[in-house]
Amino acid sequence: TLYKVHRYFFIRDSPIFAAMFALPVPDDEPAHGISEDYPIAIDGVEGGDFDRLLSIFYPLSVSSSPPLSLYSPSFSFLL
């Protein structure tokens, strides 16, 4: 599955992604994540798990229920 999401949250909340996006890109190589032709592959993460992660960054609605936390058991795949 291909997702098109802004990298802001990943840079803000993950030192790994922040370091990855800070690396210089060689002139003869395209930057990964810049287009559908050069996506960033995240091995070992299922689409449904990634959907749940994105639901924190991009909620479909704002309600009075308590917000999800990245530290909940639902997101143990990230640890």
Side-chain angles (χ1 to χ4, degrees):
T1 303
L2 181 66
Y3 295 84
K4 294 181 181 182
V5 296
H6 196 277
R7 62 183 173 172
Y8 168 78
F9 295 112
F10 297 94
I11 292 171
R12 182 190 71 182
D13 297 326
S14 169
I16 293 169
F17 278 106
M20 181 184 75
F21 285 119
L23 290 172
V25 178
D27 291 335
D28 60 341
E29 291 183 26
H32 287 277
I34 209 88
S35 73
E36 289 183 26
D37 295 328
Y38 300 99
I40 296 170
I42 305 174
D43 296 329
V45 176
E46 299 292 326
D49 293 333
F50 200 68
D51 289 341
R52 285 196 305 276
L53 173 64
L54 291 178
S55 72
I56 292 175
F57 299 148
Y58 302 101
L60 294 178
S61 66
V62 178
S63 68
S64 60
S65 61
L68 291 173
S69 168
L70 286 176
Y71 301 103
S72 75
S74 298
F75 299 105
S76 63
F77 70 92
L78 292 171
L79 304 176

